[in-house]
Amino acid sequence: MMSEPFIALAAASLIDRGHEVDIYGLSSIEATGFSSAPSIQRKLRGRFRNVSWPAGYGRRLLQLPAVSWRLARRHGVGRLPVLKPRIYRRGWTDLTSSYQAEAFAVPGSYDILHCHFATLGEFVLKHRRAGILKGRLIVHFRGYDISEVVRAHGPDVYDYLWDAAEGFVANCAHFRDRAIGLGCPADRIAVVGSGIDLEGFPYRDPRPLGDGAVECITVGRLTPRKGVHVLIEALRRLIERGRNLNLTVVGDGEQRSALEKQADEAGLAGRVRFLGACDHAQIRALLEASHIFVAASMTSPTGGADAPVNTIKEAMAVGVPTCATRHGGIPELVEEGETGVLAEEGDPADLAAALDRLLLCEADWPALTRRARARVADGYGSDAVTDKLLEVYRRALSSGVHDLPKAARREGLGMAPSGRAAPDHEATTVQR
């Protein structure tokens, strides 16, 4: 998806290290493509398999015999999902498991099965139990999966994973602690931030303020969690006090029409422009034309929370002074007075005060943005992130059979045909 360039970058970085990578989309949604640099997209050609199935149960049932026939020819009759209701359960009832299984390459043997969102763990685990997939399972917590999903389904929603996956990853310490609080084994979860392509976002000194309007920018999907409605209200308050500010909103989503109406009713129609979704090159150009980047993330009504989002990293990488909120994992990246300024989430008055504070310290911008760039490079550059990810993979692969979770031992993982522990492999995300 356009909002998930970090998956493309992770895969491309692993390919650069000499690993084999296949990428599967398992949710039957329309793929919009990644907003990644062309050089990254070229590396990933031919590596995607996106699953789709008919929306109606009747059509799925009608096409099931043909799908099952193709699966039987590839995997053998004994591995057909339609014959394994106890394993697939929900996926067996709604028939989606067969359509998913058809997407996987034969023989489906990988060193690492990396679920980039924890909600995918259910599907991959069941396919592994059914023998369609093989490999050690890594489950990644990124945001909505450790916040909104838990709020909606309860704190035991991932209990089936704690004893089945060989490793876990959280993209910030905030989400790691949440996962541990839910029952994730503390010795099997690591923090690996979502990486960015630093070459695609070169640093330059901040754009100085002149006599014209201060150009602010925010980037992200237009959902309540991004707090753009709070930002518009903060902008209105600053303009009312005499500040000359404009705002560019990059992104699309469910709130766009409501936000446009809010800006109009606040008398900001000429100061707030909505550009919709933009690609990698467009975002970089827009950042370079801006004075200040704002990320007003907040807890959504459904409990959604953000990690240190990539749009903040990109702004900090190119040298745009950044104002963000004390929300989720963001303070792990934006530190008050050190790499940016912070406001309380959901508070337009405090956000306006933080923006005013940033405007008043223009003389400090060069030093602040250089520290911000260094923070991003050290913690979120693709090389640093890939090193951490490979260490997670190696740790999972180096575990002997007696070190594996009980559920994984029951599935026979970690054992070579002779019964000895399987040899180590260079790990690759799903990856082999």
Side-chain angles (χ1 to χ4, degrees):
M1 303 296 291
M2 287 287 285
S3 59
E4 298 166 359
F6 47 84
I7 294 178
L9 179 61
S13 298
L14 289 161
I15 292 168
D16 286 343
R17 301 287 185 96
H19 304 292
E20 292 288 332
V21 184
D22 292 335
I23 304 174
Y24 298 96
L26 300 183
S27 301
S28 194
I29 57 177
E30 183 180 355
T32 59
F34 289 126
S35 59
S36 304
S39 59
I40 291 175
Q41 295 185 36
R42 283 194 294 271
K43 295 173 187 176
L44 303 182
R45 284 176 185 162
R47 297 180 183 269
F48 290 96
R49 292 181 177 88
N50 287 309
V51 179
S52 63
W53 52 76
Y57 181 86
R59 291 179 59 200
R60 289 200 292 271
L61 184 61
L62 188 65
Q63 296 181 27
L64 184 63
V67 172
S68 297
W69 170 250
R70 292 193 293 269
L71 278 169
R73 293 182 64 186
R74 295 171 65 196
H75 295 284
V77 173
R79 290 182 179 175
L80 287 178
V82 294
L83 301 180
K84 300 179 182 291
R86 293 185 62 184
I87 290 178
Y88 284 107
R89 299 185 184 183
R90 181 176 60 180
W92 183 86
T93 302
D94 65 17
L95 309 181
T96 58
S97 56
S98 293
Y99 289 88
Q100 287 183 349
E102 189 180 19
F104 295 120
V106 177
S109 296
Y110 296 91
D111 294 312
I112 296 293
L113 304 167
H114 186 155
C115 297
H116 272 279
F117 297 92
T119 49
L120 300 176
E122 174 189 355
F123 306 134
V124 173
L125 180 59
K126 290 176 179 178
H127 290 304
R128 189 174 77 172
R129 286 174 175 166
I132 299 292
L133 289 173
K134 296 178 183 177
R136 302 207 173 177
L137 180 62
I138 304 296
V139 176
H140 209 133
F141 294 102
R142 291 195 175 275
Y144 88 97
D145 49 6
I146 195 67
S147 55
E148 290 170 282
V149 171
V150 175
R151 169 80 70 87
H153 299 285
D156 58 351
V157 64
Y158 295 121
D159 282 359
Y160 69 96
L161 282 175
W162 305 140
D163 199 36
E166 287 71 57
F168 300 89
V169 177
N171 61 352
C172 63
H174 179 74
F175 289 153
R176 176 201 59 197
D177 294 344
R178 279 196 177 188
I180 292 172
L182 295 174
C184 180
D187 61 343
R188 275 191 279 133
I189 185 167
V191 175
V192 181
S194 297
I196 71 164
D197 177 20
L198 289 172
E199 291 183 3
F201 291 90
Y203 177 85
R204 55 109 175 100
D205 285 332
R207 180 184 173 190
L209 297 176
D211 296 331
V214 178
E215 298 295 336
C216 303
I217 184 172
T218 189
V219 182
R221 292 188 66 239
L222 301 185
T223 64
R225 191 172 74 223
K226 298 304 179 183
V228 179
H229 60 293
V230 178
L231 173 54
I232 291 173
E233 172 58 18
L235 193 77
R236 185 196 67 78
R237 295 181 183 213
L238 286 169
I239 291 171
E240 193 176 68
R241 297 204 295 263
R243 285 290 190 186
N244 185 8
L245 301 166
N246 292 329
L247 173 64
T248 297
V249 180
V250 178
D252 218 333
E254 65 199 56
Q255 274 202 312
R256 179 166 178 170
S257 60
L259 293 170
E260 290 174 334
K261 182 179 179 181
Q262 179 189 358
D264 288 344
E265 291 178 348
L268 303 178
R271 290 185 174 273
V272 181
R273 61 174 181 157
F274 294 83
L275 299 186
C278 295
D279 64 21
H280 174 275
Q282 291 171 315
I283 291 173
R284 184 178 69 184
L286 289 165
L287 287 171
E288 291 174 349
S290 301
H291 295 106
I292 290 175
F293 180 86
V294 190
S297 295
M298 59 183 289
T299 305
S300 74
T302 57
D306 276 336
V309 291
N310 276 18
T311 54
I312 301 177
K313 300 168 195 170
E314 292 164 357
M316 292 170 63
V318 300
V320 181
T322 297
C323 175
T325 51
R326 294 183 182 90
H327 164 82
I330 290 175
E332 298 172 34
L333 174 63
V334 182
E335 182 180 351
E336 174 67 37
E338 183 69 18
T339 59
V341 296
L342 289 168
E344 295 303 321
E345 66 171 90
D347 188 336
D350 202 49
L351 183 58
L355 282 166
D356 210 32
R357 198 162 61 247
L358 188 58
L359 289 168
L360 290 171
C361 72
E362 183 189 1
D364 298 330
W365 285 5
L368 182 145
T369 55
R370 290 187 190 109
R371 291 194 297 268
R373 168 75 183 197
R375 176 74 59 87
V376 171
D378 291 345
Y380 306 97
S382 59
D383 284 342
V385 168
T386 304
D387 287 343
K388 294 176 184 177
L389 198 56
L390 284 170
E391 180 57 31
V392 171
Y393 294 167
R394 291 187 181 107
R395 194 179 309 128
L397 290 166
S398 64
S399 299
V401 67
H402 298 295
D403 300 319
L404 293 175
K406 292 179 181 178
R409 293 204 300 268
R410 286 196 299 269
E411 292 175 37
L413 294 176
M415 299 299 290
S418 64
R420 297 188 300 272
D424 293 351
H425 299 280
E426 284 294 314
T428 63
T429 164
V430 182
Q431 289 145 4
R432 59 172 173 243

